[in-house]
Amino acid sequence: MASDNLVKMKNERRDFSGYRKYIRTAIWFILTLILAVMLLTNLFVVKENEYKVIRQFGEVVKIIEKPGLHIKIPFVQTVSSIPKYQMTFDVEEAEINTKDKKRILIDNYAVWKVDDPKKLIANARTLVNAETKMAEFTFSTVRSELGKLNYDEIINDEKSSRGSINDKVTDIVNSLLEKDEYGISVTDVRIKRTDLPEDNEESVYTRMISERQSTAQEYLSMGDARKNTIIAETDRTVKEMLAKAAADADVIRSQGEKEAGKVYNSSYSKDPEFYELYRTLESYKKTIGKETVIIMPFDSEYAKTLMGETE
């Protein structure tokens, strides 16, 4: 009986030793799997449009800018991303006063980016805080610069300096950000629109219409005055030209009559009788018509000539 129990215990030990190698293999497999999972979960990729910030126990120990594959220390280090590309921020619409004490609503936006993530983390702490500071600087600068202009200089395209204002605001905001070392910069600041508050919009539009109508009437009056001046000058010039022409005509006519008199005298002195006959015939043209009745002595020289009796 005892021998049977001894044989049975030996067989059980032999069976347990056979399972031991399987258990060892399973443990190695589990350990390898854990190591692989830990390795994969601690690998990270840096993209071209981002910075990777490595923190160890909350402190920044490294910032990676170049794209590629990297690994962090498990359970000790954490990784966060900061965008490297340009971002757009819409500054909240607000009301400002112009130089001539007009109230207007402005709506603008800013294009910005992160230049130095170390300074951003050191001074602004977070991306949201940096963006908030940039928005404050942008709004205060826009309000200050537009406050130096009159209302019509802002809304009138012919008088507007808005293009130069955008550039000036961008430079001022960048200088403020650089002074406080927030690690960000503004690429561009643009004013999208400027509107009047609803309570005074209608009154301003009415005043603008009245001013333009007054200007138009002034231009019309100037045009009428110029027209009347031109007409008066033209009439005077025409009268002077007509008077001069009449005077020249009188001179020419008198000279012609004088020359004609000389010709007549020369001709008449050569044959007085022919001249007398010519004058008589000319008188017939003026005195005798179709129904003319002439009463004169039959033996008069005038009647004889009319009847064709000549010596």
Side-chain angles (χ1 to χ4, degrees):
M1 187 70 178
S3 61
D4 292 338
N5 290 334
L6 183 60
V7 171
K8 186 176 180 180
M9 289 178 63
K10 290 181 177 179
N11 291 332
E12 289 179 354
R13 288 178 180 176
R14 188 180 299 113
D15 293 338
F16 182 76
S17 64
Y19 285 114
R20 185 174 295 172
K21 63 178 181 180
Y22 294 110
I23 294 172
R24 188 183 297 109
T25 302
I27 292 172
W28 279 110
F29 177 76
I30 292 172
L31 291 174
T32 303
L33 182 61
I34 292 173
L35 290 174
V37 171
M38 290 182 63
L39 180 64
L40 292 176
T41 54
N42 288 279
L43 286 174
F44 61 92
V45 177
V46 180
K47 299 179 182 179
E48 292 183 357
N49 60 351
E50 66 179 359
Y51 302 99
K52 286 295 185 181
V53 180
I54 310 298
R55 286 183 172 88
Q56 186 169 311
F57 301 114
E59 296 294 329
V60 177
V61 295
K62 189 177 183 181
I63 294 178
I64 304 174
E65 300 183 13
K66 295 182 179 180
L69 183 64
H70 300 269
I71 188 170
K72 66 181 180 67
I73 301 174
F75 310 114
V76 176
Q77 294 180 339
T78 58
V79 181
S80 60
S81 298
I82 295 178
K84 190 186 294 185
Y85 52 82
Q86 295 191 116
M87 295 166 282
T88 302
F89 181 80
D90 282 322
V91 181
E92 186 177 354
E93 184 181 89
E95 188 174 299
I96 68 169
N97 293 322
T98 62
K99 183 179 180 181
D100 51 353
K101 307 305 180 184
K102 298 291 190 307
R103 291 188 302 125
I104 62 173
L105 295 173
I106 60 168
D107 186 9
N108 62 289
Y109 69 92
V111 180
W112 65 288
K113 64 178 181 177
V114 177
D115 293 326
D116 192 333
K118 291 182 180 179
K119 290 182 179 180
L120 184 145
I121 295 170
N123 299 301
R125 308 298 299 174
T126 65
L127 197 67
V128 175
N129 291 340
E131 189 177 56
T132 302
K133 286 295 182 181
M134 180 269 300
E136 292 177 358
F137 290 153
T138 301
F139 172 71
S140 63
T141 305
V142 170
R143 180 178 60 185
S144 175
E145 292 302 317
L146 291 184
K148 299 175 183 177
L149 297 176
N150 293 324
Y151 176 73
D152 59 345
E153 293 177 318
I154 297 174
I155 65 171
N156 193 333
D157 290 338
E158 295 179 356
K159 299 180 180 179
S160 177
S161 303
R162 183 175 299 177
S164 60
I165 286 180
N166 290 331
D167 296 337
K168 190 172 183 179
V169 169
T170 301
D171 294 338
I172 294 175
V173 172
N174 279 327
S175 65
L176 293 173
L177 292 171
E178 185 178 357
K179 178 181 178 182
D180 292 341
E181 296 186 345
Y182 285 116
I184 64 174
S185 65
V186 174
T187 305
D188 193 15
V189 174
R190 291 290 163 180
I191 299 175
K192 294 190 291 186
R193 63 187 179 93
T194 55
D195 292 331
L196 291 168
E198 294 182 359
D199 55 352
N200 66 344
E201 182 175 353
E202 188 63 30
S203 62
V204 172
Y205 283 160
T206 302
R207 181 178 62 81
M208 291 172 61
I209 292 172
S210 177
E211 289 177 353
R212 278 151 181 76
Q213 287 177 344
S214 176
T215 303
Q217 186 60 44
E218 182 179 353
Y219 288 153
L220 290 174
S221 300
M222 292 172 60
D224 289 339
R226 181 59 179 164
K227 181 190 73 173
N228 294 333
T229 301
I230 293 174
I231 291 174
E233 291 177 352
T234 304
D235 290 342
R236 186 178 70 253
T237 302
V238 170
K239 289 179 181 179
E240 290 176 354
M241 292 175 65
L242 291 176
K244 185 175 183 301
D248 292 342
D250 290 339
V251 173
I252 295 172
R253 188 181 297 108
S254 62
Q255 291 177 351
E257 289 176 352
K258 182 178 179 181
E259 292 296 327
K262 292 180 179 180
V263 173
Y264 288 150
N265 292 332
S266 176
S267 300
Y268 299 156
S269 62
K270 291 181 180 179
D271 193 348
E273 293 181 357
F274 175 78
Y275 174 69
E276 186 67 25
L277 176 62
Y278 173 76
R279 291 291 300 272
T280 302
L281 294 175
E282 287 295 322
S283 67
Y284 291 159
K285 292 180 181 180
K286 297 179 180 180
T287 57
I288 299 175
K290 293 182 179 180
E291 299 179 356
T292 302
V293 177
I294 300 175
I295 300 174
M296 64 180 64
F298 184 74
D299 58 349
S300 67
E301 293 296 330
Y302 192 83
K304 290 179 180 181
T305 304
L306 182 61
M307 298 298 294
E309 295 180 6
T310 56
E311 295 180 359

